[in-house]
Amino acid sequence: MGKLRYILIAFLVMGLLISSACLGRDSKSNASGGPISPGWTPVYVDEEVGLPLSDSQLVEKIAPTVVSIVTEWIDRDVFFQPVPKQGAGSGVIIDPHGYIVTNNHVVEGARSVKVTLSDGRTFDAVKWATDPWTDLAVVEITPNEDLPFAHFLSNSLEKLEVLEDAVAVGNALALPGGATWTKGVISNLGRSIRISEDVVLDDIIQTDAAINPGNSGGPLVNMAGQVVGINTAIAAEAENIGFAISTDTAIPVVNDLITKEGVAAAWLGVSILTVTPAIKSSLPQYQISVDSGALVVEVATDSPAAKAGLQSGDVIVSFGGVEITSNRKLVDAIRSHESGDTVQITFWRGSQQMQVEATLSPRPSS
């Protein structure tokens, strides 16, 4: 994470960038309460990479699925009087019945959400459900006909390659006249970035396709027109460094947001990085003695990891009998368990190998 300062990129008021409204962090928050659609069957996942499209074919395929989102919330002025404010972001339709994926920080705290389709039709959202821990949200509208929708690519981190072409689409700067398209490459895979004091996002895709304020929640697509990520953040003190939440993260979270009251997730309570030669040389204080694993850089207070005795600088190499060679491997291993499971963790602390048991807990609501 270095010295870069990461900023969320969704909200605009009168063309000016402002910070997002964080009025709560409840992963079960929903405009109408309860799951969006308990009986929903996912229809939007492609298991294989599609054939490359021409630029014009890609635009024709994806443009109808990208929406702009305008939210309204109430702020307080210096006299504590209520002041209505607006923000703008993006989203992508993932179901013909009107389910739209966007970022949590686009809709969190909103009292109303308006969605505008590519053909100019505008709908009031009837429900939305959010998960601040992955910065994802699902918004539901009720069109009177089936909508065009995009397909997610499963396991995008395994199928994408560095320097592969990618296109970011969204409501950049809330410019009138439709979505903004930018083309670049996949710059890196499996990043971890901090977007707030509480939240670190793992399995992040880095791209140099230009991402601007208002792009939050829009899709990052491959040249087959498949969604490989959801645009979420930029590095404020750098050029052409943008980030998208991978479909590895998005697919299970979106499923839970639509069909359940919240995201079912076990929690260990660590912030992690993949051990690489560069990480070893840049963090000599940890005296890392292994060449692979998940480096613990932070342990949450009163978390399962803290109770088990894990510390910053520990390198996890096995979790519940699964070999851990990277931060992504650990994230996947945690996701494979449920809250209440007790798992054995093998790790290195300097030159000493150690083992502990940790009982996973439900992910906290804040």
Side-chain angles (χ1 to χ4, degrees):
M1 289 170 279
K3 297 181 179 179
L4 295 179
R5 178 169 55 92
Y6 298 105
I7 62 171
L8 300 181
I9 60 172
F11 287 84
L12 295 160
V13 174
M14 304 298 288
L16 298 177
L17 181 66
I18 66 171
S19 60
S20 59
C22 296
L23 303 183
R25 291 193 175 275
D26 182 0
S27 66
K28 298 181 181 179
S29 64
N30 188 299
S32 301
I36 287 178
S37 178
W40 182 65
T41 300
V43 295
Y44 61 92
V45 176
D46 288 341
E47 299 296 333
E48 303 296 334
V49 178
L51 296 175
L53 304 174
S54 67
D55 289 348
S56 60
Q57 289 173 326
L58 187 145
V59 170
E60 182 179 3
K61 179 178 180 178
I62 293 297
T65 73
V66 179
V67 305
S68 66
I69 296 176
V70 174
T71 62
E72 183 176 286
W73 73 94
I74 297 297
D75 202 355
R76 299 281 174 174
D77 62 17
V78 294
F79 302 105
F80 298 99
Q81 297 300 307
V83 178
K85 294 205 171 179
Q86 285 191 331
S90 306
V92 58
I93 304 169
I94 53 91
D95 183 274
H97 298 100
Y99 302 153
I100 295 161
V101 175
T102 185
N103 286 140
N104 167 71
H105 72 264
V106 171
V107 298
E108 186 178 40
R111 71 171 187 176
S112 68
V113 176
K114 289 187 179 293
V115 175
T116 301
L117 307 186
S118 62
D119 61 13
R121 288 181 292 166
T122 298
F123 297 86
D124 290 319
V126 294
K127 287 185 179 181
W128 56 93
T130 68
D131 180 41
W133 292 93
T134 56
D135 196 29
L136 289 166
V138 175
V139 173
E140 180 188 4
I141 60 174
T142 53
N144 56 14
E145 62 186 50
D146 285 351
L147 296 176
F149 60 96
H151 284 240
F152 283 14
L153 178 65
S154 68
N155 298 315
S156 59
L157 291 176
E158 291 182 1
K159 296 166 185 174
L160 292 173
E161 296 182 358
V162 173
L163 293 182
E164 177 180 340
D165 288 342
V167 175
V169 193
N171 186 27
L173 301 179
L175 294 171
T180 294
W181 301 73
T182 57
K183 190 173 184 179
V185 299
I186 301 297
S187 303
N188 208 302
L189 296 164
R191 294 285 199 202
S192 294
I193 63 169
R194 179 180 296 279
I195 63 169
S196 72
E197 182 178 349
D198 300 325
V199 179
V200 175
L201 301 182
D202 297 308
D203 284 354
I204 293 294
I205 298 169
Q206 180 183 332
T207 181
D208 72 345
I211 296 175
N212 293 286
N215 272 118
S216 276
L220 182 71
V221 299
N222 63 10
M223 292 310 295
Q226 297 163 307
V227 178
V228 298
I230 301 297
N231 301 323
T232 189
I234 57 176
E237 298 174 5
E239 294 183 5
N240 297 331
I241 296 181
F243 302 99
I245 303 160
S246 73
T247 55
D248 299 52
T249 296
I251 289 170
V253 170
V254 168
N255 286 340
D256 281 352
L257 288 176
I258 293 177
T259 62
K260 303 177 182 178
E261 290 193 14
V263 175
W267 187 59
L268 180 62
V270 292
S271 299
I272 50 176
L273 293 172
T274 296
V275 173
T276 64
I279 290 295
K280 290 178 67 173
S281 63
S282 64
L283 298 171
Q285 68 271 29
Y286 291 145
Q287 299 180 341
I288 300 171
S289 60
V290 292
D291 295 325
S292 65
L295 170 67
V296 177
V297 293
E298 186 176 353
V299 178
T301 302
D302 203 32
S303 65
K307 293 174 182 177
L310 289 173
Q311 301 176 8
S312 297
D314 292 343
V315 178
I316 297 173
V317 294
S318 177
F319 183 91
V322 176
E323 182 183 9
I324 303 301
T325 57
S326 65
N327 63 345
R328 186 187 168 213
K329 290 288 187 182
L330 180 56
V331 170
D332 290 344
I334 295 171
R335 286 176 181 164
S336 70
H337 287 272
E338 297 181 353
S339 172
D341 287 352
T342 297
V343 296
Q344 187 174 74
I345 302 172
T346 303
F347 62 96
W348 287 84
R349 182 172 293 165
S351 59
Q352 183 179 4
Q353 188 181 70
M354 306 174 69
Q355 286 187 338
V356 296
E357 285 189 343
T359 300
L360 304 178
S361 67
R363 197 171 54 185
S365 61
S366 63

